[in-house]
Amino acid sequence: MADLEQIKAERVAYFRSLEEGATLRHHFRHRDEEGGLWYFEAVPDRGELVAIKQAELTLAGRLHRYSWGHLEDEHGSLTDQAIDPGEDALEAIPAEEFQRVWTR
């Protein structure tokens, strides 16, 4: 059990350091097959874009948010995969749009 706690602590520290040290942020939106909307705030790290915040707005209007302060719950988790706007069919959006959803 201690190993899992250590891994979680390392993940929290990693995502927190990315968020606190970010000088350049990218924002994206994606519509999934069920019609839900996914929003991402990502920062560059070692040649990749890493999501530091992620929000899912379901068709039913439920909002699930993930960041270093809340990595996962019974609905999902902050992605640990790099963001690739070309491959992932993501649409770039203004930071203000992301913030409207995030603070909803």
Side-chain angles (χ1 to χ4, degrees):
M1 189 62 127
D3 289 339
L4 291 177
E5 290 174 15
Q6 178 65 30
I7 291 168
K8 182 177 179 182
E10 289 172 1
R11 287 186 68 214
V12 166
Y14 170 67
F15 288 115
R16 184 176 184 176
S17 70
L18 287 178
E19 181 174 352
E20 291 176 351
T23 57
L24 178 62
R25 296 169 190 257
H26 302 270
H27 300 89
F28 302 100
R29 176 180 57 212
H30 171 73
R31 184 174 303 275
D32 66 23
E33 305 81 40
E34 290 83 38
L37 290 171
W38 293 80
Y39 295 85
F40 300 94
E41 181 174 78
V43 298
D45 183 47
R46 296 176 233 162
E48 296 182 317
L49 283 178
V50 177
I52 57 170
K53 291 182 180 176
Q54 173 184 315
E56 177 195 9
L57 184 57
T58 68
L59 279 177
R62 298 210 51 211
L63 180 65
H64 304 286
R65 291 182 290 235
Y66 305 99
S67 67
W68 66 264
H70 181 74
L71 287 176
E72 62 187 327
D73 58 27
E74 65 276 5
H75 302 287
S77 64
L78 181 63
T79 183
D80 60 357
Q81 301 298 308
I83 300 287
D84 184 342
E87 280 190 25
D88 298 328
L90 299 173
E91 175 186 355
I93 60 171
E96 296 80 19
E97 181 178 344
F98 178 86
Q99 287 303 321
R100 275 194 304 274
V101 172
W102 185 257
T103 58
R104 179 182 154 202

